[in-house]
Amino acid sequence: ILGFSTPPGRLSMMAFILNALTCALGLLYFIRRGKQCLDFTVTVHFFHLLGCWVYNSRFPSTLTWWLVHIVCTALMAAIGEYLCMRIELREIPLNSAPKSNV
């Protein structure tokens, strides 16, 4: 069903890309470490590959399927790492005031 020539194919590809963007936000919320984003992204897409393989009873062999998933993996990892790095590189507030009034 994935393909550029049919409207359902384009809609499916857009859904995969939007899923990659929302999963990048999930990496920010759950992982919060830039170094681990690629690992978790590849793991999620690997489990998706296994699920597709079991569900269809055959290994995915179409070029468009592989291209869409490679692009979505790269997009999810890059955006997730960018968002996590922004959180990691925030300045740590250093207050010289005491924490409590004793």
Side-chain angles (χ1 to χ4, degrees):
I1 192 169
L2 290 175
F4 296 107
S5 60
T6 63
R10 288 189 296 264
L11 185 64
S12 294
M13 283 193 270
M14 288 178 57
F16 277 114
I17 290 172
L18 288 175
N19 184 35
L21 297 176
T22 56
C23 286
L25 291 174
L27 288 174
L28 174 65
Y29 182 73
F30 291 111
I31 306 305
R32 294 186 182 255
R33 297 277 308 173
K35 291 181 178 181
Q36 296 175 344
C37 286
L38 181 62
D39 296 337
F40 280 90
T41 300
V42 171
T43 302
V44 165
H45 281 86
F46 177 72
F47 285 137
H48 181 260
L49 169 68
L50 291 179
C52 288
W53 193 356
V54 168
Y55 182 77
N56 293 324
S57 301
R58 62 184 177 92
F59 192 75
S61 61
T62 59
L63 181 63
T64 55
W65 190 92
W66 285 102
L67 289 176
V68 166
H69 284 82
I70 288 170
V71 167
C72 288
T73 302
L75 192 63
M76 182 177 162
I79 293 175
E81 188 170 336
Y82 172 74
L83 292 173
C84 289
M85 292 301 265
R86 285 188 62 201
I87 299 296
E88 287 179 359
L89 295 177
R90 280 188 192 165
E91 289 186 20
I92 299 172
L94 300 174
N95 295 333
S96 60
K99 291 185 179 182
S100 63
N101 294 332
V102 180

